[in-house]
Amino acid sequence: MVRAMAPRFPTQFADLLTPRGRRILEGRDPETCGALLDPTRPFVALQGVIDVKKAAEARDVLDAALRDTLVTMEDPIPEDSISGMVENYTEALPKTVRVRTALLESRRSRSWRAAEEVGLVALLRSDTFAGFAAAVSGRALKRSWGIQVLCYGPGDYTGPHNDHHPEEADARDGYVDMHVSLTMPAVDHQYLVYAKDGHFSELTKVSTVGGITVYRLPFWHYTTPLAAKKAREDAARRWVLLGTFLDAGPKTRASSTILPPGARPPVGGTTLGRGTGAGRR
């Protein structure tokens, strides 16, 4: 008997995209392509760019393959954040978080082996995954980018933070993150709240099936606690596929660069992006 092949992710991110998603990837959507070159626009939230059926299939493959390999990442509010204060109105809150993550930085981890087996590593390393981030950001990006998988369960969240890295030369001027959200049916809602004009006054729903959010960091934001539908807490999970991209500077080799659509080819062994700044892996 021939064993049926286990479900896998496609090798290329482009294979998940709708016609609109492919237009963005190819640089044929002027409203979206290069949107993050606008310094007043910290991120773009996109719907209808990943095929919903394919997104649901990918989510179910991910949930089956990686759910039992996750580790908890937890940084609670410091115990002395109140008792340690000695002056009125001087409270300070570091970044707090509770979420589970798949360890994809080590090939020896259970998460990496499981992700490799179902084709997730190849998908996140595909040129079209980085190419989509380059198209929306409008910037040439370094080919070596960081990948991560997060899983939010009921009550999981990320507290207010800005993702600024002033001590890292490649990150201090900014970088690009891209998140793909794959949410289970038992989730009711989860939101990204972000600052505008100095206040946490804006929010957008991120508990989607196949929604893509592309960020130009740093900026102030947080992710609200995930809420499950009534009596469905055990099945409520939101998966996030994440890539973190450095800008390709003038001295970056052409072979190490992902160009946005329509950008000029490298000249003299270097590549010039359409934007400035740097990023973080």
Side-chain angles (χ1 to χ4, degrees):
M1 295 181 64
V2 178
R3 292 182 59 187
M5 293 185 63
R8 291 176 57 86
F9 286 86
T11 302
Q12 284 291 334
F13 183 67
D15 293 334
L16 295 176
L17 299 177
T18 63
R20 186 196 172 203
R22 285 185 173 267
R23 288 196 300 272
I24 295 171
L25 178 64
E26 295 165 4
R28 297 186 292 112
D29 186 327
E31 181 179 350
T32 305
C33 293
L36 295 185
L37 292 175
D38 180 353
T40 68
R41 193 171 188 181
F43 73 94
V44 176
L46 300 169
Q47 291 293 318
V49 294
I50 291 181
D51 181 274
V52 174
K53 182 179 179 181
K54 292 180 180 179
E57 292 172 350
R59 174 201 63 201
D60 294 342
V61 170
L62 182 64
D63 195 64
L66 266 70
R67 186 173 68 241
D68 294 333
T69 74
L70 300 171
V71 297
T72 299
M73 181 169 65
E74 184 173 12
D75 288 310
I77 298 171
E79 292 184 2
D80 64 348
S81 62
I82 295 176
S83 62
M85 286 178 58
V86 296
E87 184 180 346
N88 295 341
Y89 309 116
T90 60
E91 55 265 60
L93 183 65
K95 179 179 177 179
T96 60
V97 62
R98 185 177 63 202
V99 68
R100 287 181 293 168
T101 185
L103 301 176
L104 299 184
E105 295 300 319
S106 171
R107 289 174 176 261
R108 288 180 283 185
S109 72
R110 291 180 61 208
S111 293
W112 190 93
R113 292 196 299 270
E116 172 73 6
E117 186 174 340
V118 296
L120 177 59
V121 173
L123 177 82
L124 295 178
R125 291 294 185 199
S126 67
D127 282 355
T128 52
F129 183 73
F132 197 92
V136 177
S137 69
R139 290 173 166 84
L141 304 174
K142 287 187 177 180
R143 186 171 290 275
S144 180
W145 62 89
I147 61 174
Q148 189 176 8
V149 174
L150 300 176
C151 182
Y152 289 90
D156 288 349
Y157 75 102
T158 304
H161 62 289
N162 57 33
D163 284 318
H164 185 32
H165 297 274
E167 294 180 303
E168 299 180 25
D170 289 339
R172 63 172 63 110
D173 294 324
Y175 55 98
V176 173
D177 262 15
M178 186 167 80
H179 297 184
V180 178
S181 183
L182 300 170
T183 305
M184 303 294 289
V187 173
D188 188 70
H189 64 263
Q190 189 170 39
Y191 294 92
L192 175 76
V193 181
Y194 60 99
K196 182 178 181 180
D197 299 328
H199 295 279
F200 283 119
S201 58
E202 306 296 313
L203 80 165
T204 188
K205 188 174 184 178
V206 291
S207 49
T208 60
V209 183
I212 300 178
T213 313
V214 187
Y215 303 83
R216 182 62 182 177
L217 296 162
F219 66 96
W220 280 100
H221 59 287
Y222 66 90
T223 306
T224 64
L226 182 137
K229 293 179 180 177
K230 188 175 181 180
R232 301 194 66 186
E233 288 79 7
D234 289 347
R237 289 177 292 279
R238 173 180 166 246
W239 292 89
V240 181
L241 308 181
L242 188 154
T244 298
F245 303 88
L246 294 164
D247 288 356
K251 295 183 180 180
T252 305
R253 291 180 299 176
S255 60
S256 301
T257 302
I258 298 287
L259 289 170
R264 291 184 178 183
V267 177
T270 63
T271 299
L272 298 179
R274 291 167 58 193
T276 60
R280 172 184 62 86
R281 285 195 61 186

